[in-house]
């Protein structure tokens, strides 16, 4: 097992996503390393080469973990640009020595941001367009040596368990693996362990994310960002995801885990990373969080 941490925590405040509130990237990476992780979710800053990014990782003592590619697969007019972006990002991952990447529909579907986790506004034709465009993008990524792993995400057009399985059932497994997110599955009403068990040989990478069921229920009529501000997410083991069951069905999995907590549920992002690293140390026999 290999475990990384997503630095997204440094960019979220109770007022929403705010990159300007974060310290410089090298400082974030040093804090992640000091907290106990030795790998980080990859996201190469605009204008930086993969070589320079690798140097940044080496300087801060971190290894690269699979990053995240989101695009408007539902938009037929964006098909060409999406495929080229997918090819470029996959090439960057390959240059860093990675063979997996999380892939998701673009966040921000208005109906679903306003009514998160409910599958609002479902349209079969839209799902078919996603399948077509995602198939082309996945083929471009695989040609670069990186296999995408489908990540379902609340607030997008790939939100529910039914939508996720429909896409996976219609795209060749050689082009698209499964990149389940335990927290987003739970928010959309799925049982994470049962969902993962459905694809025993197709799991490519996993987001370990915990959710507070009480916040989910209390914020039933709130939009996505309001629920986040109310700390719907928390560090692994502090919420209501049954990680014992999840890890049981993943007993034979030897790929990447990425721990993710959007808004820090501790006083600082570094403390959130440290609490997460301690959980990893206690529950995963990896040596990746010491």
């Amino acid at each position: 097992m290999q475990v990384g941490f997503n630095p997204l925590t440094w960019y979220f405040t109770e007022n929403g996503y705010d990159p300007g509130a974060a310290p410089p990237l090298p400082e974030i990476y040093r804090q992640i390393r000091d907290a106990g992780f030795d790998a980080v979710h990859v996201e190469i800053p605009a204008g930086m080469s993969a070589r320079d990014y690798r140097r940044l990782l080496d300087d801060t003592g971190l290894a690269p973990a699979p990053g995240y590619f989101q695009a408007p697969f539902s938009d037929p007019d964006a098909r060409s640009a999406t495929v080229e972006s997918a090819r470029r990002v996959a090439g960057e991952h390959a240059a860093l020595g990675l063979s997996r990447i999380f892939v998701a529909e673009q966040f921000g579907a208005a109906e679903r941001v306003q009514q998160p986790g409910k599958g609002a506004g479902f349209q079969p034709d839209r799902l078919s367009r996603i399948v077509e465009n995602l198939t082309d993008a996945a083929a471009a990524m695989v040609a670069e040596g990186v296999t995408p792993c489908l990540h379902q995400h609340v607030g997008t057009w790939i939100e529910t368990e039914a939508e996720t399985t429909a896409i996976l059932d219609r795209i060749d497994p050689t082009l698209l693996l499964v990149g389940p997110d335990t927290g987003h599955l739970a928010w959309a009403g799925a049982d994470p362990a049962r969902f993962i068990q459905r694809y025993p040989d197709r799991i490519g990478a996993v987001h370990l994310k915990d959710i507070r069921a009480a916040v989910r229920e209390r914020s039933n009529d709130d939009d996505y960002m309001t629920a986040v501000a109310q700390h719907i997410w928390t560090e692994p083991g502090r919420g209501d995801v049954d990680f014992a069951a999840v890890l049981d069905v993943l007993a034979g999995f030897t790929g990447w885990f990425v721990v993710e907590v959007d808004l820090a549920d501790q006083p600082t992002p570094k403390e959130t990373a440290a609490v997460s690293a301690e959980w990893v140390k206690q529950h995963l026999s990896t040596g990746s969080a010491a």
Side-chain angles (χ1 to χ4, degrees):
M1 295 182 187
Q2 305 166 91
V3 186
F5 191 76
N6 190 338
L8 189 63
T9 311
W10 275 260
Y11 299 95
F12 259 99
T13 74
E14 291 188 357
N15 295 318
Y17 182 73
D18 184 6
L25 195 57
E27 175 59 24
I28 293 174
Y29 283 6
R30 281 191 287 269
Q31 290 187 35
I32 290 173
R33 176 61 188 175
D34 291 345
F37 284 93
D38 61 13
V40 66
H41 156 110
V42 162
E43 185 169 1
I44 300 178
M48 180 180 284
S49 69
R51 178 180 297 180
D52 287 343
Y53 184 75
R54 184 68 205 223
R55 187 176 298 114
L56 169 62
L57 293 177
D58 292 343
D59 289 345
T60 51
L62 292 172
Y68 186 84
F69 177 75
Q70 60 174 330
F73 297 108
S74 57
D75 182 356
D77 295 332
R79 187 171 188 167
S80 178
T82 293
V83 170
E84 287 311 306
S85 293
R87 191 189 316 277
R88 174 183 56 79
V89 174
E92 292 172 341
H93 269 58
L96 294 170
L98 292 166
S99 61
R100 300 287 185 266
I101 185 171
F102 294 96
V103 63
E105 169 70 4
Q106 184 78 40
F107 176 78
E111 290 174 82
R112 298 204 164 177
V113 170
Q114 292 300 318
Q115 304 175 66
K118 301 174 183 177
F122 173 75
Q123 294 179 10
D125 290 349
R126 181 193 293 119
L127 195 67
S128 294
R129 289 198 303 273
I130 290 173
V131 168
E132 293 173 4
N133 294 342
L134 181 53
T135 298
D136 288 349
M141 287 181 152
V142 169
E144 296 293 324
V146 177
T147 305
C149 307
L150 183 62
H151 178 295
Q152 84 305 324
H153 195 297
V154 171
T156 78
W157 296 123
I158 311 175
E159 180 178 73
T160 67
E161 181 174 11
E163 289 164 346
T164 307
T165 56
I167 290 169
L168 290 168
D169 290 348
R170 293 167 65 181
I171 298 181
D172 191 321
T174 64
L175 294 180
L176 186 67
L177 297 174
V178 187
D181 182 297
T182 55
H184 283 281
L185 281 165
W187 192 347
D191 179 321
R194 186 184 63 190
F195 173 83
I196 292 168
Q197 193 170 33
R198 180 171 179 161
Y199 301 98
D201 301 317
R202 200 173 172 182
I203 304 299
V206 179
H207 266 188
L208 295 174
K209 193 162 188 167
D210 210 346
I211 186 171
R212 285 198 171 96
V215 176
R216 176 180 178 270
E217 293 165 7
R218 187 172 67 242
S219 62
N220 188 53
D221 295 325
D222 292 330
D223 64 27
Y224 183 95
M225 295 309 300
T226 298
V228 171
Q230 293 177 354
H231 293 264
I232 192 169
W233 304 124
T234 189
E235 298 81 16
R238 299 186 71 245
D240 295 288
V241 169
D242 185 352
F243 281 110
V246 168
L247 295 179
D248 184 57
V249 299
L250 286 169
F253 179 66
T254 58
W256 276 102
F257 291 97
V258 174
V259 177
E260 186 174 270
V261 186
D262 289 6
L263 176 64
D265 207 27
Q266 301 295 320
T268 67
K270 183 177 179 180
E271 288 172 274
T272 277
V275 169
S276 300
E278 182 61 28
W279 182 88
V280 168
K281 182 179 179 180
Q282 292 177 9
H283 294 87
L284 298 176
S285 301
T286 62
S288 291

